[in-house]
Amino acid sequence: MSLGYRLYEPLFVLKPIVRDVWIADGGEIRMRLGPLRMPFPTRMIVVRLPDGGLWLHSPIALQPKLVAQIGELGPVTDIVAPSNLHYTWTSIWSHAFGNARVWTAPGMTQQVLARLPAHRRLSDDAPPHEWQGAFKQQRISGGPVTEVDFFHEPSRTLMLTDAIENLDLKRFKSIFYRLVTWAAGSNDPDGMLPWELRRHFRQNRQHNRVAIDRMITWGPDRILLAHGRCYERDGWQELKRAFRWL
């Protein structure tokens, strides 16, 4: 299939970000936007927990070479579907690492839950024992989207899914997709939540403002994103900028 977005190669390869944190860029997905199916890049985050176990955030399509690389780092203990939109490859990764705990965001439909393996529900508080105090976490939500965002304290890294999308317009092969992304207000460097979701998040304004303020107080140095270019520095300032509309 011809791609609509030039991806962040090399694909399905672990890329070190900071000590005990890696990303792996995956293939393209098509997300429904009204009558359109917009192309989006995908990205997984891998974190080594204090006890040596591996924590996988928003798994991408499974590829043997990536599984082998992860296996060399240590045992996979946790697989996280951090949003009710980010669950597609959770089951296949759970099958590959059968001893791993599976965690899912609130807001999954019953049809989705029926397709997922046995799992635990994420909340506003990180499980203290399973993740050995490595994370703080916070739920944000609006309309069709609920996601749980994570702050890895040892590396001061914030991890988001759709709360900020930071897509490089030049990577779209179609001028039409560039225009749609620009109109949605989710383009690099001024990435943020797409406009069609902001009205839903405004309906839950009080909760979301408290949630974003809490994440700002964590003082992240960097922000890793599921879609688009990550922010490698000044993370807390980028968070304030991206949520100025809220």
Side-chain angles (χ1 to χ4, degrees), residues 49-51 126-136 151-154:
L49 297 173
D51 69 353
H129 303 295
E130 292 87 341
W131 298 348
Q132 301 98 52
F135 291 100
K136 294 179 179 178
F151 179 61
H152 183 239
E153 294 194 83

Side-chain angles (χ1 to χ4, degrees), residues 133-136 150-159 218 221:
F135 291 100
K136 294 179 179 178
F150 301 89
F151 179 61
H152 183 239
E153 294 194 83
S155 67
R156 307 200 66 77
T157 301
L158 184 65
M159 306 171 193
W218 294 340
D221 290 337

Side-chain angles (χ1 to χ4, degrees), residues 96-173:
F97 297 99
N99 293 326
R101 296 176 290 255
V102 175
W103 305 82
T104 63
M108 303 281 189
T109 66
Q110 289 302 314
Q111 291 86 348
V112 169
L113 292 174
R115 299 199 299 268
L116 294 176
H119 58 273
R120 307 185 197 184
R121 188 68 55 86
L122 296 165
S123 69
D124 288 339
D125 298 305
H129 303 295
E130 292 87 341
W131 298 348
Q132 301 98 52
F135 291 100
K136 294 179 179 178
Q137 65 193 56
Q138 176 63 56
R139 174 182 54 88
I140 61 172
S141 62
V145 176
T146 298
E147 74 176 56
V148 179
D149 299 320
F150 301 89
F151 179 61
H152 183 239
E153 294 194 83
S155 67
R156 307 200 66 77
T157 301
L158 184 65
M159 306 171 193
L160 310 179
T161 49
D162 295 309
I164 299 177
E165 295 174 0
N166 191 42
L167 301 169
D168 183 349
L169 297 182
K170 295 189 296 294
R171 286 179 174 268
F172 285 100
K173 297 184 178 182

Side-chain angles (χ1 to χ4, degrees), residues 26-86:
E28 179 184 285
I29 57 171
R30 294 284 176 136
M31 295 294 292
R32 189 173 300 280
L33 179 62
L36 304 176
R37 293 185 65 84
M38 290 289 295
F40 279 83
T42 58
R43 180 176 294 124
M44 177 169 70
I45 303 169
V46 178
V47 176
R48 180 184 282 125
L49 297 173
D51 69 353
L54 299 178
W55 182 92
L56 309 185
H57 175 277
S58 190
I60 57 176
L62 188 146
Q63 293 287 337
K65 64 179 180 181
L66 179 57
V67 171
Q69 279 193 303
I70 290 174
E72 291 174 1
L73 292 180
V76 175
T77 57
D78 297 273
I79 300 171
V80 179
S83 160
N84 63 333
L85 300 180
H86 282 244

Side-chain angles (χ1 to χ4, degrees), residues 191-208:
M192 60 181 71
L193 190 73
W195 65 265
E196 72 274 9
L197 294 178
R198 288 178 219 162
R199 62 185 179 90
H200 296 292
F201 274 69
R202 286 191 181 100
Q203 293 171 4
N204 200 16
R205 177 186 294 269
Q206 183 174 359
H207 169 85
N208 289 326

